[in-house]
Amino acid sequence: MLEIIKLICVGTVIGMANVIPGVSGGTLAVVFNIYDQFVNAITFNVKRIWANKKFVFPLLGGMALGVLIFSKLITVLYTHFPFQTNCFFTGLIIGSIPLLFSLMIYGGQKEKDSPKPAFSAAGIISLFVCVAAGFALLLTFNYLESLFNGVSASNQILPPLSVKLTLRIFIAGFIGAIAMIVPGISGSLLMLMMGVYTTVITAIPSLFIPDTALHALLLLLPNGIGVLLGLVCGAKLISLLLKKLPHQTYAVIFGLILGSVIAVFPGFSGFASLAGCISSVFCIALGFFMAFFSSKL
């Protein structure tokens, strides 16, 4: 019984981490020494899941509880303090840059466990190309979104359904699920970068409100399908890439992170007043130190 309670608590913490952009649920699974079992829990081998049901169900139940708790909190923050919330997320992204840079240089190994690799000229060029590719991909995505007047998740709650939004939510779920598998990478951060984070996180508590339940369900379905396919199709792919090309894989992710700073930063309008300036700077600093020190931990 105590083990079940412990797994529910651990799952709740991991679920909360998966809601916060910049914080990796996979990393916390490593911290709690359940990563291998965690990976088994997100497979679709029914026999394996049932054989480990005393681990799987309490953990997943705790994760669901953590997501529900924090999704409601994030919704309230975006409703009443949208500028400061985006500043906080900007700080989280900036704070995760040192970790991603280290992962890129050491190929996912801990710095203390691995000597600094001596890159050849071709290796350095490949890293720059991969970083530039990730950076350009993120900026291109945001440019196309603005060009076609895409619905921005940061300024509209439960936006109207459209084919384009549905496709974007599906892709974000697919990529976010792949990111969940990699310790150090935040699936929510990638969803934030793709502009669907607020829509998804707001739709979760809206499922329990009769007037918005159907709308929220239709928004969450493509995300859920994307997550399922991402877990099935992406686990082996990301594992292969990290095994064969770890430096280049993390370099692309590093470029995405750099581009997301520009995409997520809400601008300077909130800095016009003294109170707005202080609160915004505080939120950026808070987000930075949370991400930076959690990566150190």
Side-chain angles (χ1 to χ4, degrees):
M1 186 64 184
L2 289 177
E3 185 65 21
I4 292 176
I5 295 174
K6 174 186 173 182
L7 285 172
I8 292 175
C9 293
V10 170
T12 302
V13 174
I14 294 175
M16 290 178 175
N18 282 325
V19 172
I20 305 174
V23 182
S24 168
T27 297
L28 290 182
V30 174
V31 170
F32 289 117
N33 197 29
I34 61 167
Y35 183 73
D36 290 341
Q37 291 174 285
F38 176 72
V39 171
N40 289 332
I42 61 175
T43 65
F44 286 87
N45 187 324
V46 177
K47 291 183 178 179
R48 185 184 301 173
I49 292 176
W50 185 251
N52 295 289
K53 57 182 179 296
K54 292 184 179 180
F55 170 83
V56 172
F57 295 126
L59 182 70
L60 294 183
M63 290 175 64
L65 180 62
V67 169
L68 287 173
I69 292 172
F70 254 60
S71 61
K72 181 61 178 179
L73 175 60
I74 295 296
T75 300
V76 172
L77 290 175
Y78 257 121
T79 300
H80 298 285
F81 308 101
F83 190 89
Q84 286 77 9
T85 303
N86 273 333
C87 284
F88 173 72
F89 287 152
T90 301
L92 280 173
I93 295 171
I94 296 174
S96 69
I97 288 177
L99 170 64
L100 266 298
F101 182 80
S102 177
L103 291 173
M104 177 181 67
I105 297 299
Y106 292 94
Q109 300 297 316
K110 292 182 179 179
E111 183 175 345
K112 64 179 181 179
D113 297 334
S114 176
K116 189 172 183 179
F119 292 106
S120 63
I124 294 175
I125 292 174
S126 71
L127 290 184
F128 273 110
V129 170
C130 290
V131 171
F135 185 83
L137 180 65
L138 196 283
L139 293 187
T140 300
F141 183 87
N142 281 276
Y143 172 73
L144 292 175
E145 180 183 348
S146 62
L147 184 66
F148 292 101
N149 298 316
V151 179
S152 173
S154 61
N155 59 24
Q156 192 167 354
I157 303 301
L158 288 185
L161 291 167
S162 68
V163 175
K164 184 168 60 177
L165 178 61
T166 300
L167 181 62
R168 189 150 50 106
I169 292 175
F170 167 79
I171 294 173
F174 182 84
I175 296 177
I178 296 175
M180 285 171 54
I181 303 168
V182 186
I185 309 301
S186 168
S188 293
L189 184 64
L190 294 180
M191 292 179 65
L192 180 69
M193 291 156 48
M194 297 184 69
V196 303
Y197 174 77
T198 309
T199 298
V200 172
I201 215 66
T202 303
I204 294 173
S206 298
L207 283 171
F208 302 96
I209 302 175
D211 292 341
T212 60
L214 180 60
H215 189 180
L217 178 62
L218 293 176
L219 287 171
L220 288 173
L221 274 178
N223 186 255
I225 295 171
V227 168
L228 292 176
L229 291 178
L231 292 175
V232 173
C233 303
K236 291 184 178 180
L237 173 62
I238 197 68
S239 178
L240 179 64
L241 288 174
L242 289 174
K243 183 178 180 180
K244 300 294 185 181
L245 299 167
H247 301 281
Q248 289 76 11
T249 303
Y250 279 113
V252 173
I253 297 172
F254 183 71
L256 288 168
I257 293 294
L258 292 180
S260 70
V261 175
I262 299 174
V264 175
F265 182 63
F268 295 95
S269 59
F271 293 87
S273 64
L274 179 60
C277 183
I278 293 175
S279 63
S280 300
V281 170
F282 173 79
C283 289
I284 291 175
L286 178 63
F288 174 87
F289 285 112
M290 280 187 63
F292 183 78
F293 286 112
S294 67
S295 67
K296 293 295 182 182
L297 180 65

